[in-house]
Amino acid sequence: MIIAPSLLASDFGRFARETERAHKAKADWLHLDIMDGHFVPNISFGPEVVRVIRPITKMTFDVHLMCSKPEILLESFARAGADLMTVHVELGDRVTQLLWKIRSLGVKVGLAVNPPTAIANAQPYLDQIDLLLVMTVNPGFGGQPFIHEMLPKIQQAADWRRERNLNYRIEVDGGINQQTAVECAKAGADTFVSGTALFGHRQLGRAVKKMRDAVSANARER
Ligand code: DX5
Ligand code: ZN
């Protein structure tokens, strides 16, 4: 089980210190939300921030690209220190090439599905990815409520993984707190992004451990 605090919910004036906090909290991954003001109605930060925080920790940097043109950013993020890069299935016929490009940069490959998009759209790519991200809010902002209707998508992703003997991680992102994380774990998720519910805690280490223990105790059989 992987717990990935999202830097989007941290103090933007102190990215370095917040990264150190996540490191000391023994979080597994750090989730980095990249928003371009076009694919989503918000802007976050770019490769330079990733480059600056890279020396602070060896934690996996999980870069979630909510961008209309990720092709122009992939190299910069790989060079800045991304370990995994996720693009959205909503980009349609460009997806195959994007996944291939990410792989060619020596970085792990993720594919994300927005709430209004059918999970079936991701099906053709399942054997080409390391991670399938089921969005549990409409992307763009932290602090939104979890959309429960996404749980069947997680179950479907887990069923496909078992039936086809594949190995991709199933990540959830948006409105994840102790309770909703458990619901997602029961459905088959194994990788949990959480912004507000983790970075909002004074004792991040405790919150991370609590979430990891809760999802581990409720993991669906593989
Ligand atoms: C949403 C982002 C999320 C966000 C989650 O657009 O993709 O990663 O940081 O934040 P919370 O956990 O606050 O919903
Ligand atoms: Zn995200």
Side-chain angles (χ1 to χ4, degrees):
M1 292 295 189
I2 297 284
I3 307 296
S6 170
L7 201 66
L8 190 71
S10 76
D11 179 345
F12 268 40
R14 300 166 178 234
F15 280 137
R17 255 203 237 177
E18 294 286 67
T19 302
E20 214 175 294
R21 226 177 119 214
H23 173 84
K24 287 196 178 133
K26 298 196 166 61
D28 304 282
W29 292 4
L30 189 64
H31 186 80
L32 301 166
D33 285 306
I34 312 304
M35 303 179 177
D36 68 349
H38 187 265
F39 186 80
V40 289
N42 196 5
I43 294 179
S44 56
F45 49 82
E48 184 60 13
V49 169
V50 178
R51 191 186 67 79
V52 167
I53 62 173
R54 184 66 279 187
I56 298 168
T57 176
K58 289 198 163 66
M59 252 187 301
T60 289
F61 278 4
D62 172 25
V63 174
H64 176 194
L65 294 158
M66 288 159 275
C67 304
S68 298
K69 282 192 176 181
E71 51 271 43
I72 61 174
L73 296 165
L74 295 174
E75 274 185 49
S76 306
F77 278 106
R79 220 178 308 125
D83 297 294
L84 187 152
M85 293 195 280
T86 296
V87 292
H88 272 261
V89 76
E90 290 78 19
L91 298 175
D93 55 13
R94 282 145 61 211
V95 169
T96 302
Q97 216 189 335
L98 287 165
L99 301 182
W100 178 86
K101 176 78 184 169
I102 296 171
R103 180 83 63 205
S104 77
L105 290 166
V107 172
K108 290 231 157 90
V109 181
L111 185 64
V113 182
N114 275 340
T117 305
I119 191 78
N121 289 26
Q123 206 183 4
Y125 307 106
L126 297 178
D127 56 356
Q128 297 161 48
I129 59 176
D130 300 299
L131 174 142
L132 181 63
L133 168 52
V134 178
M135 289 303 301
T136 44
V137 300
N138 285 302
F141 300 91
Q144 303 180 76
F146 179 81
I147 304 174
H148 283 87
E149 287 74 18
M150 297 302 112
L151 289 169
K153 283 188 181 178
I154 301 166
Q155 283 161 359
Q156 181 62 260
D159 289 345
W160 282 333
R161 183 171 63 182
R162 198 192 48 245
E163 288 159 17
R164 296 176 56 180
N165 206 14
L166 292 169
N167 225 348
Y168 52 84
R169 290 196 153 274
I170 300 175
E171 182 176 62
V172 286
D173 181 10
I176 299 297
N177 55 35
Q178 303 291 343
Q179 290 81 43
T180 56
V182 165
E183 291 180 53
C184 293
K186 286 181 177 161
D190 50 49
T191 305
F192 303 83
V193 176
S194 176
T196 317
L198 291 182
F199 267 109
H201 258 262
R202 278 176 67 95
Q203 293 189 307
L204 183 55
R206 267 201 192 180
V208 167
K209 184 178 183 314
K210 212 173 138 198
M211 188 175 284
R212 193 186 289 116
D213 289 349
V215 293
S216 300
N218 287 283
R220 180 180 141 157
E221 292 280 323
R222 277 187 75 166

